[in-house]
Amino acid sequence: MTNSKKTGIDKSTALWMYQTMITTRKFEAECRRQADQGKLRGMHSSIGQEAVPTGICAHLKDGDQILGTHRSHHHCIAKGVNLNEMMAELLGKATGTNKGKGGTMHIADINKGMLGANGVVGSNIPVAVGAALTAKLKKSQNVSVVFFGDGAVGQGVLYESMNLASIWKLPVVFVCENNRYAEATPFEYSMAGQSVAKRATGFDMPGINVDGQSVVEMYHASKIAIQKARSGEGPTLIEAMTYRYQGHFGADPPLTYRTEEEEALYKSKDCIRRMKSYLIDMGYSDEEKILEMDEKAQIAVSESVKFADESPFPNLEELHTEVYVKYE
Ligand SMILES: Cc1ncc(C[n+]2csc(CCOP(=O)(O)OP(=O)(O)O)c2C)c(N)n1
Ligand SMILES: [Mg+2]
């Protein structure tokens, strides 16, 4: 991809974005290997969708907060959650982000501003509005960003949240990762009007449709949204068009609900390959340095597995601490 019109990304940010995406992809590939070995009980892979949170988190500060979904490893990595602690969490170890009791769908690291993944579709949307209200009342200048899938667009809570955020001009950005499917249901089948972005109009907020497979496009679109939120001008809805390369869940049967041609089309627009070209076109990197970045990512991922493998499982005495449900 050439993007000479949009040169507003400085070198260190562009390199950070590539490093973040390649680290995510390698982390997810490793998760699959761990699942195949029976060490991880399934997971929702974000491979193919790395550009969405990366382009957005490039604008976020430490105090800003994000919320995710059941498919949230890419959100966590983009917000700077420690890879070792993530892998330990996935393997149920005491050194994990949630002391091994949350697992893949509940990774949270409040110190890093990752308020949590969540397995209940749409449930984190009002939490982000609450975080934004807190930021507004405290005058902290922080913003919150909530990621949700196209499947969450059928949840009424999205519209209650957008309404409140708009009338109170809260510093929140709603990001729909439209990867075309909710499990096996195509969005064309379930979504009236075929557009998430258009739904913003009724709530008097901007709604933008972005190529979510381009981290450069994500960066530019979200820059405006984050600035707007931070300066007290209220929320934005971003619809990021993207694609998950793997099945809905680790244990999926063969994907009969989509065609090989469709998969090939989206893979031809791969965010990592396009960012490689961008780095080279902009003179920010070359093939050799890119290989070094790939290697650095692999080392970090391998170290995370070593850290997790060497970590203990939680003590039995901790079975009933920091959990909501107690088994007697
Ligand atoms: C309230 C609720 N309903 C149903 C489910 C079961 N479920 C889990 S993931 C999923 C599909 C979500 O699709 P989408 O929001 O598009 O996210 P994606 O998996 O594509 O990232 C469903 C229906 C759930 N977890 N929560
Ligand atoms: Mg989806």
Side-chain angles (χ1 to χ4, degrees):
M1 178 195 64
T2 48
N3 215 320
S4 51
K5 276 189 293 181
K6 290 182 172 166
T7 53
I9 305 180
D10 64 68
K11 182 177 173 181
S12 69
T13 305
L15 292 174
W16 175 85
M17 292 200 295
Y18 180 81
Q19 190 72 61
T20 301
M21 293 197 297
I22 192 68
T23 302
T24 306
R25 186 157 298 187
K26 288 183 184 291
F27 185 85
E28 295 289 49
E30 185 57 49
C31 287
R32 173 52 68 97
R33 282 191 284 275
Q34 296 294 312
D36 290 345
Q37 291 171 36
K39 288 161 70 186
L40 195 168
R41 296 278 173 85
M43 51 155 274
H44 303 85
S45 165
S46 67
I47 288 185
Q49 302 184 202
E50 298 90 341
V52 179
T54 303
I56 291 176
C57 290
H59 303 289
L60 298 186
K61 302 179 181 174
D62 286 350
D64 295 332
Q65 296 175 318
I66 66 165
L67 289 117
T69 64
H70 52 287
R71 191 183 307 287
S72 251
H73 298 171
H74 55 331
H75 307 141
C76 295
I77 296 173
K79 192 64 174 70
V81 178
N82 181 281
L83 233 48
N84 290 358
E85 293 174 16
M86 277 180 71
M87 188 58 86
E89 186 57 37
L90 299 182
L91 301 196
K93 298 300 184 78
T95 52
T97 49
N98 305 52
K99 300 188 182 175
K101 299 177 199 176
T104 168
M105 285 193 278
H106 299 98
I107 296 179
D109 186 343
I110 289 171
N111 293 329
K112 293 282 182 194
M114 171 52 185
L115 298 192
N118 200 314
V120 182
V121 170
S123 60
N124 262 345
I125 301 168
V127 182
V129 173
L133 177 60
T134 303
K136 181 163 178 155
L137 293 176
K138 287 187 166 176
K139 298 186 174 32
S140 67
Q141 308 289 314
N142 290 332
V143 304
S144 68
V145 175
V146 60
F147 298 95
F148 52 93
D150 43 293
V153 174
Q155 293 285 47
V157 72
L158 171 62
Y159 307 102
E160 296 171 48
S161 301
M162 284 168 65
N163 186 61
L164 206 59
S166 182
I167 58 174
W168 288 351
K169 289 212 175 309
L170 298 180
V172 56
V173 180
F174 299 95
V175 182
C176 177
E177 280 179 78
N178 187 348
N179 62 8
R180 308 193 66 89
Y181 296 92
E183 295 191 345
T185 306
F187 85 92
E188 289 93 343
Y189 175 84
S190 59
M191 197 188 293
Q194 313 289 294
S195 165
V196 181
K198 274 192 201 162
R199 296 185 180 202
T201 315
F203 296 94
D204 196 24
M205 71 173 81
I208 338 169
N209 186 284
V210 186
D211 176 359
Q213 288 188 284
S214 163
V215 74
V216 173
E217 296 298 328
M218 281 307 304
Y219 177 90
H220 286 294
S222 52
K223 183 177 187 178
I224 299 165
I226 304 274
Q227 273 172 355
K228 190 171 176 299
R230 213 183 286 291
S231 60
E233 291 172 50
T236 299
L237 171 64
I238 295 176
E239 178 180 18
M241 304 309 294
T242 183
Y243 203 73
R244 64 168 153 75
Y245 290 1
Q246 299 184 345
H248 170 69
F249 189 68
D252 271 10
L255 310 188
T256 48
Y257 52 87
R258 59 190 208 187
T259 61
E260 282 179 15
E261 290 74 23
E262 182 184 289
E263 291 183 4
L265 173 70
Y266 283 97
K267 285 181 185 172
S268 74
K269 299 191 265 184
D270 182 62
C271 58
I272 292 182
R273 203 170 47 246
R274 287 162 80 188
M275 191 53 179
K276 257 186 211 174
S277 306
Y278 179 84
L279 293 180
I280 293 169
D281 284 356
M282 295 295 290
Y284 286 166
S285 197
D286 55 32
E287 296 283 356
E288 200 179 322
K289 288 193 195 122
I290 289 172
L291 275 178
E292 281 170 22
M293 285 194 277
D294 295 357
E295 218 165 286
K296 187 177 162 193
Q298 188 53 58
I299 290 169
V301 169
S302 302
E303 277 174 3
S304 75
V305 176
K306 187 168 183 291
F307 174 83
D309 280 343
E310 290 172 0
S311 294
F313 284 106
N315 285 328
L316 199 54
E317 300 83 73
E318 288 200 28
L319 188 64
H320 287 167
T321 59
E322 297 156 325
V323 292
Y324 289 111
V325 180
K326 300 189 180 191
Y327 295 97
E328 302 299 341

